[in-house]
Amino acid sequence: MLLISTPPLVLVHGLLDSPAVFNRLRQALGGRRQALLIPALPLRLGLTPIAEAAELLGAHIRENLGLDDPIDLLGFSIGGVIARTWIQLQGGHERTRRFISVGSPQQGTLTAQPWPGRIFKGLADLKWGSGLLETLNGNLDTLHRIECHSFYSAIDLAVLPGWRAVLPIGARTQLPVATHPQLLRDQAAIRPLAKELIRE
């Protein structure tokens, strides 16, 4: 049963996705998280810097959910780094109750290394040792105030190696799926994600 005190849930999609990527997860929730916000962010194939995408995310949250009310936040793939940037660097920690990262390169990924950062600024933010990730990982004070949970696949080739798709704090759950898209398609991943999202 949905508690009145349950905060709205914000879902942040990945690089080549749209809000529709969360359709199966929404079905699994079965209406138990009805206050949902799933903004469409113009990531432009990695051209949009993550900080800029985070500002857009914050604007969607303010416009649709007000200025102060608590929220839960789930980010998939690059969406998890966008959400984390909003939390840690743009004041989002002040209203985020729970943050779930799903297959997000929170520690960088080798798949971002070949892309020229001068052009693909969003992808450059995901490189090992990028300025953004160094900043995020260098001060975790705001993240420590939030309940964090990382879900990942050890053999996820979009985040390479897969074990880097975890936050530096909080619970970690390895999902038994073989590919990046399966993190939001396969029932072996959907079930534990839905269970986490409906947990009080």
Side-chain angles (χ1 to χ4, degrees):
M1 181 176 180
L2 180 67
L3 298 177
I4 294 175
S5 60
T6 302
L9 173 62
V10 181
L11 305 178
V12 188
H13 64 77
L15 184 65
L16 302 178
D17 301 316
S18 72
V21 74
F22 294 112
N23 283 351
R24 293 187 185 182
L25 181 58
R26 290 181 65 183
Q27 291 172 0
L29 292 174
R32 286 168 287 187
R33 294 297 298 261
Q34 292 190 21
L36 274 175
L37 174 63
I38 314 177
L41 300 178
L43 304 181
R44 301 184 301 150
L45 303 176
L47 295 172
T48 304
I50 284 180
E52 181 180 322
E55 290 176 0
L56 293 171
L57 171 63
H60 278 284
I61 292 171
R62 290 190 301 273
E63 291 168 7
N64 292 277
L65 302 175
L67 299 176
D68 304 309
D69 291 342
I71 62 169
D72 288 347
L73 189 56
L74 179 148
F76 170 60
S77 194
I78 195 175
V81 183
I82 292 168
R84 182 183 174 192
T85 299
W86 177 73
I87 289 171
Q88 288 187 249
L89 303 182
Q90 299 177 8
H93 66 281
E94 296 177 353
R95 61 184 302 183
T96 302
R97 180 187 74 149
R98 186 177 296 163
F99 175 39
I100 298 100
S101 172
V102 182
S104 299
Q106 304 289 0
Q107 309 297 328
T109 172
L110 288 174
T111 56
Q113 299 300 123
W115 297 94
R118 186 171 55 84
I119 300 172
F120 293 93
K121 295 181 179 179
L123 291 178
D125 285 332
L126 304 180
K127 294 183 179 186
W128 285 21
S130 74
L132 175 65
L133 293 179
E134 289 288 325
T135 299
L136 292 174
N137 290 321
N139 186 344
L140 302 176
D141 289 349
T142 53
L143 208 59
H144 275 294
R145 305 178 192 181
I146 298 165
E147 184 181 348
C148 297
H149 197 150
S150 301
F151 290 85
Y152 70 101
S153 165
I155 52 176
D156 180 352
L157 296 182
V159 182
L160 190 64
W163 56 265
R164 295 183 73 93
V166 295
L167 293 161
I169 65 170
R172 299 175 179 180
T173 299
Q174 180 177 328
L175 297 172
V177 297
T179 69
H180 196 64
Q182 283 181 308
L183 289 166
L184 287 179
R185 292 180 184 171
D186 195 299
Q187 286 302 311
I190 292 293
R191 283 191 296 268
L193 287 175
K195 183 178 180 180
E196 172 67 11
L197 290 173
I198 62 176
R199 179 172 61 83
E200 294 182 10

